[in-house]
Amino acid sequence: MNKNAIVTILAIIGGIVVLGWLLKLTFSLLGPIIVIGLGVVIYLALSKNKGGRL
């Protein structure tokens, strides 16, 4: 194997590791993000029904 092939393989392995950490972080934060999103949607719906401004 030449140097470029080794660098390419190491780059692919590094990308998979970074992607794994990113997915792990995303799924660990998914619950709070959904709760916050639902809260914002409910708040906007209630404020729209009242006709008031934010």
Side-chain angles (χ1 to χ4, degrees):
M1 272 201 284
N2 58 6
K3 190 175 180 181
N4 287 338
I6 295 172
V7 170
T8 303
I9 291 171
L10 289 176
I12 291 171
I13 292 172
I16 291 171
V17 169
V18 169
L19 184 64
W21 278 101
L22 190 65
L23 286 173
K24 185 177 179 182
L25 180 68
T26 301
F27 283 116
S28 68
L29 293 178
L30 194 60
I33 289 174
I34 290 175
V35 171
I36 292 171
L38 285 175
V40 169
V41 168
I42 292 171
Y43 173 75
L44 290 176
L46 289 177
S47 65
K48 185 181 272 190
N49 288 340
K50 291 181 183 176
R53 293 190 181 96
L54 293 176

